[in-house]
Amino acid sequence: MLLAFALSSLRAAPRTTLSAGLPRLQIRFRTRVVSPSGFKMLPHHQCDKRSKVLVFGAGNFGSCLADHLGDSSHIVYMWSRSEKLVSHFNQHHRNPEALQDHEFAESITAVGPEFPSADLVRGMDVLLFAIPTEGVRETLTALKPTLDEGKLPLLIFVNKGIEIKTRALTLEIIADTCGPEIAKVATFISGPSFAKEIVKRQPTSVSVVSLSPSHAEQASQLFHQPWFRCYTGDDPIGVELAGALKNVYAIAAGMAAGLGFENNTRAMLITRGLAEMTRIGTAYGASPLTFLTLAGVGDLFLTCSSSTSRNFTVGYRLGQGEKLDHIIKTLGSVAEGVTTAKGLKAIVDELGVAAPIASGVYDVLYEGRAVAERANELLSLPPIRELDLSVEGGKPAKLLMTKLGLDA
């Protein structure tokens, strides 16, 4: 209560009040509210070093993370395939295609449209991948010859999805393209984190995981600030599955809202969606506890509860009767749940796991089923045991660990 009152008081206070008595951020003020709660940036000397970071992808999330790292005193390069974006960004410090109202940190330089050179890549301390999952394999294949494995940068991935054709998680794509040794030290960041709130420095927390605890800790130290708190873990398979699957359940939540259902239904879908995610994850070989983390239930709750979520929006418009092709053409950004639903359906069928909500979303997206008709079928299912986790299985995770040369 006291914290809520304090935060609301700060939001309502005029700018002169902030300058009079509260700690200020040690950065140049730009055209957005830097911190409505007056948080003070951690002094730079608390970081191990001023890192050079190359961000692959200049969409909403890549841009907001580049801005966060730039404000945290790091030197950031952001790669885009768009020559127009690169030119405009370097001239105005604004992204014409993402977060258009935001003025970005001056320590960010846009590069492209040519693929980053070996000299640039080998001069980086960190490579951050914020591109759709379907583009990860192509990007890593092009990147591999430029890597100096004797001085490998920290590789961080923030994409969420399953590769459709191969049903591979990003961890496996890394192993296929760059080798198992690089995959074993790759780091993944996931959690409830809308880009537009990150650039406003709204308090946000994420999961930072890797099969290598030391690399997870390095990534955590790179990103951690009072408004961007990081919590480390060692289950990248579970975090990847949670990050991909929650987008499918967000589409379901949007469909329910589009049909006119309200809070009870949304709570039902979030809870039963979490049960399905956990059931699928444990059958795959992930830890069930991972689905109770920021990357699991945290991200699921946010994505299913906000009308600004792209996946929720797709579902809502489907529930309102729009056609998927029209929605995709007019959405203006990628909703990874649409493609993930196809890869997830294949995984569910292979595992033999009951996932009625995910299957229902797939039927609407790819089998032409009507939203209302499919919803009625789900509501007509017989009662079942609420908690029912797989005690066997885990074959996909075991195979992946074998590919990495690790014990399953």
Side-chain angles (χ1 to χ4, degrees), residues 225-252:
Q225 294 289 359
W227 53 81
F228 198 90
R229 296 189 53 79
C230 299
Y231 296 84
T232 57
D234 59 3
D235 182 17
I237 291 177
V239 164
E240 281 205 73
L241 283 172
L245 270 54
K246 60 92 182 177
N247 288 327
V248 177
Y249 296 101
I251 293 176

Side-chain angles (χ1 to χ4, degrees), residues 347-364:
I347 290 174
V348 167
D349 289 346
E350 181 179 329
L351 294 174
V353 175
I357 300 173
S359 297
V361 171
Y362 174 86
D363 288 345
V364 171

